[in-house]
Amino acid sequence: MLTKLNDTKIVLNCAHIESVELIPESKILMTNGKFYIVKEGAEEIIRKTIEYNGKIHCYRGDR
């Protein structure tokens, strides 16, 4: 769950994120060429992606 600049909450498929550019907001470029500008920083986007993938793939990073 991420927050657009107008405070709208969105959910992106992290498997389709191509890159994150800091402008200073985070501009998330998707593999289909679309992009989203969100309030969360790159570190938080990475953390949320790892957290989500851990839930989907039963990965635990504390081992």
Side-chain angles (χ1 to χ4, degrees):
M1 181 90 50
L2 298 171
T3 312
K4 293 170 66 173
L5 297 181
N6 65 359
D7 291 323
T8 301
K9 298 288 185 183
I10 60 170
V11 177
L12 299 177
N13 183 340
C14 60
H16 294 275
I17 294 175
E18 186 171 311
S19 64
V20 177
E21 180 182 348
L22 304 176
I23 59 171
E25 301 85 3
S26 296
K27 178 180 178 182
I28 302 173
L29 179 63
M30 308 301 285
T31 56
N32 64 2
K34 293 183 179 183
F35 66 88
Y36 300 89
I37 298 177
V38 299
K39 293 181 176 182
E40 289 79 8
E43 291 84 14
E44 186 171 357
I45 294 168
I46 292 167
R47 181 186 57 74
K48 288 182 175 202
T49 300
I50 292 169
E51 189 176 287
Y52 171 78
N53 283 323
K55 289 178 182 177
I56 298 301
H57 301 292
C58 299
Y59 172 75
R60 292 186 54 192
D62 60 347
R63 290 185 184 175

